[in-house]
Amino acid sequence: MPTRLAPSRETGRPLRWTYSALCALSRRFSFVEDEVDGLRQVVEDGDVCLDIGAEYGVYTYALSYVAGPKGCVHGFEPLPGPYRVLGAGVRLLCSGRAHAHRMALGDRPRDAAVMSLPYRRGLPVHGRAFLTDGAQGLGPNAEFAGERRPVVRVGTVDEVVAAAGLPRVDFVKADVEGAEPLVLAGAAGTLLRDRPTLLLEIEERHLAKYGARAGRLVGELRDAGYSMFLWRDGRWRPVDRVTGAHRNYLFTVKPLED
């Protein structure tokens, strides 16, 4: 896949400025993930992208810019607070090329599923919320003083792709606190049809509460023809296993240029 270091965009300045700011912040601060800066090397003009576990929309905005005016991004966030921010940001910045959906994605659809939303010092920690279906206990979220249990709607990638009439899916980012294998199970048809590039958060501590293991997940993706990469020192570097030093891994069936 061609590397695009200086993409041209027919878009308003707010989205361009937002993307530039996110890239700059990702190089200096941990609250914006480094991989945001690497999206331009793996997402092409006109790509259709899914941001699963979008929270406040960092990846949704970045993908909207990188995929360009002919691209399309669907961001999925089930919790009401982050969803309101995501929806407002999409309307303000993305010029109709992105869409916000208030729902979680998993292995099967249901109208009412329970999430565990941890609280610290009286404030919600949205980035650590997870679906309780299939989970055994709180896992690493036991460190928090309390939790609330909002009820959310859950769909599957295959379901929403069909409902939206998407002709293809080119890129999927999923950060769902250990339920990534369930998201992929619900995307089986899309993965087989489109072979999208995947950016997955993979941490043993979160996978364990669902009875999953990083090695098994990586092995299944390799068996399906995917190669694994890590964003480091300004490029996607091939790696052979998940470690505790990093949490986001890219999987693609496409060649990446140095």
Side-chain angles (χ1 to χ4, degrees), residues 32 62 125 232 234:
V32 177
V125 185
R232 190 167 54 201

Side-chain angles (χ1 to χ4, degrees), residues 168-192:
R168 69 185 191 282
V169 174
D170 301 293
F171 184 90
V172 177
K173 168 261 180 183
D175 178 354
V176 289
E177 302 304 291
E180 289 79 12
L182 301 181
V183 170
L184 296 181
T190 302
L191 295 178
L192 183 63

Side-chain angles (χ1 to χ4, degrees), residues 15-230:
L15 185 59
R16 183 169 70 249
W17 289 342
T18 298
Y19 178 71
S20 296
L22 290 172
C23 289
L25 289 169
S26 75
R27 298 175 197 130
R28 298 189 62 185
F29 301 103
S30 61
F31 64 86
V32 177
E33 293 181 341
D34 295 346
E35 292 77 13
V36 167
D37 197 22
L39 293 177
R40 69 186 99 189
Q41 296 188 16
V42 293
V43 176
E44 297 183 339
D45 288 315
D47 275 359
V48 177
C49 308
L50 308 183
D51 181 5
I52 302 170
E55 199 175 4
Y56 298 113
V58 168
Y59 277 95
T60 300
Y61 311 142
L63 289 166
S64 295
Y65 177 75
V66 176
K70 295 181 181 180
C72 183
V73 181
H74 292 266
F76 299 88
E77 174 52 50
L79 296 172
Y83 171 76
R84 285 193 293 269
V85 176
L86 172 68
V90 162
R91 291 189 297 272
L92 179 66
L93 298 172
C94 297
S95 304
R97 72 179 70 169
H99 309 274
H101 306 268
R102 186 178 168 183
M103 64 189 304
L105 295 183
D107 61 338
R108 56 189 175 86
R110 53 256 200 224
D111 292 329
V114 176
M115 292 193 76
S116 173
L117 173 60
Y119 271 69
R120 176 189 287 134
R121 300 185 183 91
L123 297 174
V125 185
H126 295 109
R128 291 282 292 272
F130 66 91
L131 285 169
T132 61
D133 287 4
Q136 302 297 316
L138 296 176
N141 280 13
E143 69 181 275
F144 295 103
E147 62 164 339
R148 293 184 184 175
R149 297 245 165 171
V151 176
V152 303
R153 184 164 72 95
V154 181
T156 69
V157 169
D158 288 346
E159 176 191 43
V160 299
V161 166
L166 298 180
R168 69 185 191 282
V169 174
D170 301 293
F171 184 90
V172 177
K173 168 261 180 183
D175 178 354
V176 289
E177 302 304 291
E180 289 79 12
L182 301 181
V183 170
L184 296 181
T190 302
L191 295 178
L192 183 63
R193 183 191 74 174
D194 299 332
R195 312 285 280 161
T197 296
L198 310 171
L199 180 60
L200 305 177
E201 181 186 68
I202 305 179
E203 291 189 83
E204 291 282 13
R205 60 178 185 150
H206 294 304
L207 290 168
K209 65 178 175 282
Y210 292 100
R213 297 297 302 271
R216 179 176 179 181
L217 174 58
V218 171
E220 289 174 350
L221 287 170
R222 281 203 173 120
D223 289 345
Y226 280 85
S227 298
M228 182 167 67
F229 296 83
L230 180 71

